[in-house]
């Protein structure tokens, strides 16, 4: 069910990694839409994870929760590797950043970088988490958590 959420938002699934999914979003033509589509997808993924958790708990099964890391930037996308083991994938520092961001999150969280924050801060509730030292990055990285903005319903 999580895979379908990504595909419904025009995301590309790069690979399944153990209990994780690596997906990416490309911009539509000249419009910068990848960050907002990725955040929208992440919020829906978290909602689906909460539903799955409730379902599992009702069956006395193990709890279910996910962490999500999102980073906006340039990556190499395409067929990578030697002829004997060519693989369509996404690589680059931005991919590593997204991985590190999800790694510092708590279950149920969505952690984003400063560039993603720039594109979505007016549409969602963003909380600054400060500078974080992340493995593989020489300088601390400014990180944020994101949640859906509460909708006010006129009564």
């Amino acid at each position: 069910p999580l895979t379908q959420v990504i595909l419904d938002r025009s995301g590309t699934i790069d690979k399944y990694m153990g209990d994780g999914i690596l997906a990416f979003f490309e911009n539509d033509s000249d419009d910068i839409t990848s960050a907002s589509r990725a955040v929208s997808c992440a919020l829906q993924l978290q909602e689906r994870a909460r539903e799955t958790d409730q379902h599992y708990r009702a069956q006395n099964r193990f709890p279910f929760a996910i962490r999500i890391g999102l980073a906006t930037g340039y990556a190499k996308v395409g067929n990578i590797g030697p002829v004997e083991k060519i693989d369509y994938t996404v690589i680059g520092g931005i991919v590593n950043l997204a991985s590190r961001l999800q790694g510092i999150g708590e279950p149920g969280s969505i952690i984003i970088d400063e560039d993603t924050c720039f594109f979505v801060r007016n549409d969602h509730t963003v909380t600054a988490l400060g500078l974080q030292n992340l493995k593989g990055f020489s300088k601390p990285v400014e990180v944020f958590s994101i949640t859906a903005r509460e909708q006010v319903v006129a009564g």
Side-chain angles (χ1 to χ4, degrees):
L2 298 182
T3 296
Q4 195 58 51
V5 172
I6 296 166
L7 297 175
D8 288 347
R9 293 284 189 279
S10 300
T12 300
I13 303 218
D14 181 320
K15 65 180 60 81
Y16 298 96
M17 307 171 307
D19 61 357
I21 300 172
L22 173 59
F24 62 94
F25 295 81
E26 296 184 84
N27 290 323
D28 297 326
S29 62
D30 291 334
D31 296 328
I32 300 174
T33 61
S34 59
S36 61
R37 284 187 299 115
V39 167
S40 174
C41 180
L43 291 166
Q44 190 170 2
L45 286 168
Q46 288 295 11
E47 179 59 32
R48 185 68 56 91
R50 284 187 290 277
E51 292 168 3
T52 301
D53 183 54
Q54 289 174 353
H55 180 73
Y56 281 12
R57 287 177 188 267
Q59 297 176 338
N60 291 320
R61 294 171 66 187
F62 56 88
F64 183 83
I66 61 173
R67 300 182 310 232
I68 298 173
L70 300 175
T72 298
Y74 294 100
K76 298 215 183 279
V77 178
N79 291 317
I80 309 284
V83 174
E84 298 81 13
K85 177 60 175 108
I86 202 158
D87 189 23
Y88 183 79
T89 193
V90 58
I91 61 171
I94 204 71
V95 178
N96 295 337
L97 177 56
S99 175
R100 299 296 185 252
L101 292 174
Q102 78 75 33
I104 64 171
E106 296 294 324
S109 67
I110 302 169
I111 308 297
I112 63 173
D113 71 332
E114 191 170 12
D115 289 341
T116 304
C117 181
F118 174 82
F119 290 108
V120 302
R121 66 180 176 226
N122 295 326
D123 299 319
H124 302 283
T125 301
V126 177
T127 304
L129 300 177
L131 293 170
Q132 301 285 322
N133 292 309
L134 302 176
K135 180 181 174 186
F137 292 85
S138 58
K139 296 180 183 175
V141 176
E142 186 76 29
V143 300
F144 305 83
S145 67
I146 192 161
T147 55
R149 183 163 285 162
E150 294 294 324
Q151 299 295 322
V152 177
V153 178

